[in-house]
Amino acid sequence: MAGVREQDQYMPIANVIRIMRRILPAHAKISDDAKETIQECVSEYISFITAEANERCQREQRKTVTAEDVLWAMEKLGFDNYAHPLSLYLHRYRESEGEPASVRRASSAMGINNNMVHPPYINSHGFGMFDFDPSSQGFYRDDHNAASGSGGFVAPFDPYANIKRDAL
Amino acid sequence: MRQAGAYSGLLCGGVSGRTGPHSLPLARIKKIMKNSGEDVKMISGEAPIIFSKACELFIEELTRRSWIMAIQGKRRTLHKEDLASAVIATDIFDFLITLVSSSESHAVGGATNVMEVETIDCS
């Protein structure tokens, strides 16, 4: 193929193929041109939805594109079948950052005997619900840092397993 | 004693270390969002998380519809033409028509798409 495709403009092909394989029967094959095309389609999908979400942001004179803006744009652009499971996903993601995650973290820590994990028995964040402020962004970063420790992987993993089951 | 769930979680985290619990890399999603327009300023941390799941649903739906096209053609290999046919046949994928068409400037490819669309109309 002429010209080098900028890989950072597309989702990694291995991840995309893994998701495709969930849908396809075992004997199905995927040609190289189909792999490239679906990578391009995914990036186009993200750009398409983001542009609509950002337009609403600007109309309302806000500077930060939020998860709610993304969900709104999906409904407006015909992906309302996605909006409901994604709202549930977002809700549970936010819950997982609150008290229940601490309990899971405590259980995981005891199971692993990892001294690096210090489960807080009193959660100063309340129920972990965040509004549209930058703290949600900062909080996400904290979670990302926590994931680098061995104990951190376990706590956020469980709720996603549940959500994935719901999505199917 | 280690719990099986904990161990599985660790393995899963380790295998896809760069994406954590998400199946698609959030940093990559954020970069694509940023490039969707020069006027995209700030992106909350939750927006790429929503997209990581939304893209899974999108890939699954596009794959399912493309596979239907492939089996209608009595084939077991998914081709670009199957993706193009699925896009043409599905309203919510209209925004992709230019993308899949531009990579199929070949006249024969175009004819194939038209034929398949006609087949769909007949059924």
Side-chain angles (χ1 to χ4, degrees):
Chain A
M1 175 173 283
V4 178
R5 301 162 86 232
E6 282 198 56
Q7 284 309 304
D8 63 354
Q9 293 305 310
Y10 303 109
M11 290 298 106
I13 192 61
N15 299 55
V16 173
I17 292 169
R18 185 165 58 245
I19 295 166
M20 292 175 80
R21 290 280 172 211
R22 295 185 210 159
I23 297 295
L24 297 169
H27 65 272
K29 291 176 169 52
I30 307 168
S31 71
D32 286 344
D33 64 355
K35 290 173 184 174
E36 286 184 0
T37 299
I38 202 158
Q39 270 183 306
E40 291 167 7
C41 288
V42 175
S43 293
E44 186 68 16
Y45 174 72
I46 294 171
S47 295
F48 182 59
I49 300 291
T50 300
E52 190 70 25
N54 187 57
E55 203 177 284
R56 169 166 115 136
C57 261
Q58 299 206 317
R59 269 201 308 272
E60 299 179 3
Q61 293 176 28
R62 289 184 282 105
K63 288 183 177 177
T64 304
V65 179
T66 65
E68 280 77 12
D69 293 324
V70 170
L71 292 171
W72 174 87
M74 283 176 188
E75 288 200 20
K76 187 172 186 240
L77 297 171
F79 294 93
D80 31 296
N81 286 347
Y82 295 10
H84 177 67
L86 290 173
S87 294
L88 206 61
Y89 182 79
L90 178 62
H91 182 65
R92 290 184 179 180
Y93 171 80
R94 287 171 171 171
E95 276 184 342
S96 74
E97 300 304 326
E99 205 164 2
S102 303
V103 175
R104 284 192 203 90
R105 208 168 283 131
S107 303
S108 302
M110 286 186 284
I112 299 172
N113 286 326
N114 188 335
N115 295 325
M116 292 177 66
V117 177
H118 305 290
Y121 292 101
I122 299 172
N123 191 334
S124 60
H125 292 290
F127 294 99
M129 300 302 290
F130 289 91
D131 293 319
F132 312 88
D133 55 69
S135 66
S136 70
Q137 197 162 357
F139 195 85
Y140 170 72
R141 289 201 192 96
D142 291 341
D143 181 63
H144 193 269
N145 291 334
S148 62
S150 61
F153 275 137
V154 178
F157 178 74
D158 290 341
Y160 297 108
N162 292 332
I163 292 168
K164 281 176 182 174
R165 276 198 291 271
D166 290 347
L168 289 172
Chain B
M1 179 174 285
R2 287 175 181 260
Q3 302 172 23
Y7 187 71
S8 303
L10 283 171
L11 266 189
C12 182
V15 169
S16 58
R18 285 184 298 159
T19 65
H22 307 287
S23 63
L24 295 167
L26 301 182
R28 191 78 60 92
I29 292 172
K30 190 166 184 179
K31 178 167 244 178
I32 294 168
M33 290 180 77
K34 270 281 181 180
N35 289 334
S36 71
E38 288 189 359
D39 52 350
V40 175
K41 292 184 171 59
M42 291 171 65
I43 298 167
S44 94
E46 288 176 337
I49 290 162
I50 286 295
F51 262 121
S52 74
K53 194 66 182 179
C55 288
E56 283 185 36
L57 299 178
F58 173 79
I59 292 166
E60 286 176 356
E61 181 170 8
L62 186 50
T63 300
R64 185 182 300 111
R65 291 175 182 273
S66 302
W67 180 246
I68 290 170
M69 299 299 170
I71 58 180
Q72 282 182 9
K74 306 295 196 295
R75 285 177 281 100
R76 290 184 175 184
T77 303
L78 203 66
H79 284 284
K80 180 169 58 179
E81 289 76 19
D82 302 313
L83 288 163
S85 299
V87 163
I88 290 167
T90 312
D91 286 350
I92 54 172
F93 292 158
D94 280 355
F95 68 99
L96 297 168
I97 286 176
T98 304
L99 187 149
V100 295
S101 298
S102 66
S103 55
E104 293 194 328
S105 55
H106 203 274
V108 173
T112 304
N113 290 333
V114 172
M115 288 168 59
E116 284 170 338
V117 170
E118 286 167 355
T119 303
I120 293 165
D121 292 340
C122 292
S123 66

